[in-house]
Structures are given as C-alpha cells and as structure tokens.
Amino acid sequence: SAVISQKPSRDICQRGTSLTIQCQVDSQVTMMFWYRQQPGQSLTLIATANQGSEATYESGFVIDKFPISRPNLTFSTLTVSNLSPEDSSIYLCSVEETGPGQEYEQYFGPGTRLTVT
Amino acid sequence: RKEVEQDPGPFNVPEGATVAFNCTYSNSASQSFFWYRQDCRKEPKLLMSVYSSGNEDGRFTAQLNRASQYISLLIRDSKLSDSATYLCATERGGTSYGKLTFGQGTILTVHP
C-alpha cells in the first residue's frame, strides 16, 4: 500500500490561531480524504480533497473552518482555523487504493495530534 | 440511531479464546465493508475488507449479512498482540464513493 506521511505529528496551539497539516503520499492517488478523531471517539469524515477543484465537505464541516488544498495527486493540506479547545483532536488523511480483490481499500496516515490551549 | 453501531465491549478474553464482534449498519445502500484495527495512539490499519458474504484470513474471519445488515469479525486462538480497538466501517458507494462511516469501536484485551 501507499506510504503516507503527515506533518506535524503533533502540535500545541493557542486558541484563535490556525494550524496547517500536510499529507504526502509516495504515489499518485485519485482519492484523498481528511478525518477527525476526537478524544475517545471514532473517526468522522471531514471532507474529500479533490485535485484541481474545491474540496467536498461533509455535514457539519465548512470551508471557512477547514480549508483544504490539493495541488496535485500526491499532496494535500488541511488547515484548522480559528482554533478553540473543541478542535483538540487527531486529524488523519487517508487515500484509497485498489486491493488484491479489485476492491477499493482505504489507508490512513499516522495522524496529527492537535491540542488547543 | 447511529449509521454504524458496534458491540460496546470491552471484551476481556484469555489467550487462545475465540471472540466475535458484531457491527450493524442502517444504510441499505452501503456497498463495501471493512474491519480496521487501531492500537493506542496509532492510526487505524486495515485488517480485512469484507467481500460478498465474507472472507477469511488466517485466524480472522469476517462475514457479511446484507439481509440483516450486519458484519461480524471472528478471531480464533487470540494472541496477546490482538489487544486493540477494532473498528468497522462502511462505504455507501455512488456519489458517496470512498466515504467511510465508522462505528465507535470495540476494545479487545487479551490476557495471559
């Protein structure tokens, strides 16, 4: 499967600031996604990062709060803007690949642990 | 009702035991199904994709029942290293292609 890296791996930010998270894949992928995992919770999809067009956001997530860039097929960024303590979460990018049975399978990056003080 | 629901757990089993987790989904349009394993402070790792009615990989067996809208994961001969949180996920397909919905996870602890 593709090798996915994220930067930073963790950060502590003050409220009102923004954090930009980078996701780099070692091969070209069509589908990239951003998820959030709040403390003690499961994963929730934030948006689909579309190459060459605006991201597609899920209900409850908006572009002003979570702007996303996807300049090419190997890279994406997620910015979490105007931070509040409620934004403290792990943010993960994922990519979709074709598995051995020709099914589409999704793999996750190592995540970025954000703490907002 | 949540779109994907799992056994609440936690499950505490001895080494060598067989343990099974269930996961129900409410959206009948769901097309693909997955089990992920997540270790503490790590990202989810794909354990199994669930094809047609089910599939097996070593000690792990996943089954899909579309009529009753649930998937299950069976772990045989549990190892200490199987201790983790197990997440089920569904993909709706169509315009929701690639978008996974996760259950809340089931914690498994295998003890000596």
Side-chain angles (χ1 to χ4, degrees):
Chain A
S1 61
V3 176
I4 309 167
S5 60
Q6 285 185 233
K7 285 197 291 190
S9 58
R10 59 177 62 228
D11 208 340
I12 301 173
C13 301
Q14 291 189 337
R15 66 181 69 200
T17 63
S18 299
L19 176 69
T20 295
I21 302 166
Q22 299 179 5
C23 179
Q24 180 76 55
V25 191
D26 70 343
S27 59
Q28 293 187 339
V29 292
T30 303
M31 305 294 286
M32 288 181 78
F33 305 90
W34 286 98
Y35 288 81
R36 179 175 73 181
Q37 187 170 28
Q38 293 177 301
Q41 304 294 314
S42 192
L43 286 82
T44 301
L45 179 64
I46 298 172
T48 304
N50 301 309
Q51 196 268 328
S53 64
E54 222 171 68
T56 307
Y57 290 85
E58 296 301 300
S59 175
F61 297 96
V62 295
I63 188 171
D64 289 347
K65 177 67 175 177
F66 299 99
I68 288 171
S69 78
R70 178 90 192 270
N72 55 54
L73 293 177
T74 64
F75 186 78
S76 178
T77 67
L78 168 73
T79 299
V80 190
S81 304
N82 190 24
L83 290 168
S84 68
E86 294 72 36
D87 295 321
S88 297
S89 283
I90 300 172
Y91 293 87
L92 302 108
C93 67
S94 71
V95 303
E96 192 152 80
E97 296 186 344
T98 304
Q102 299 304 306
E103 299 286 333
Y104 288 100
E105 298 177 337
Q106 207 161 122
Y107 298 91
F108 287 84
T112 296
R113 184 178 296 271
L114 169 62
T115 302
V116 183
T117 59
Chain B
R1 181 186 173 190
K2 292 182 180 177
E3 190 168 334
V4 179
E5 293 199 73
Q6 295 185 236
D7 282 348
F11 287 71
N12 294 289
V13 302
E15 274 186 289
T18 296
V19 62
F21 307 138
N22 285 329
C23 173
T24 59
Y25 60 95
S26 60
N27 192 333
S28 58
S30 297
Q31 295 291 321
S32 304
F33 307 88
F34 308 91
W35 283 102
Y36 283 82
R37 171 201 168 117
Q38 186 172 30
D39 293 289
C40 189
R41 303 177 81 82
K42 298 286 189 180
E43 74 274 21
K45 292 195 183 297
L46 182 63
L47 182 63
M48 297 181 78
S49 302
V50 188
Y51 308 133
S52 59
S53 61
N55 51 296
E56 185 173 317
D57 183 4
R59 297 183 294 109
F60 299 86
T61 301
Q63 290 195 310
L64 166 64
N65 185 317
R66 286 190 186 272
S68 301
Q69 295 187 193
Y70 78 83
I71 60 173
S72 63
L73 178 68
L74 181 78
I75 305 175
R76 290 180 297 277
D77 188 24
S78 299
K79 312 290 185 190
L80 296 176
S81 57
D82 293 333
S83 298
T85 297
Y86 290 82
L87 301 162
C88 69
T90 67
E91 182 187 44
R92 280 168 273 163
T95 57
S96 298
Y97 170 68
K99 301 179 181 181
L100 297 183
T101 302
F102 284 85
Q104 70 268 38
T106 299
I107 297 172
L108 171 65
T109 302
V110 182
H111 57 82

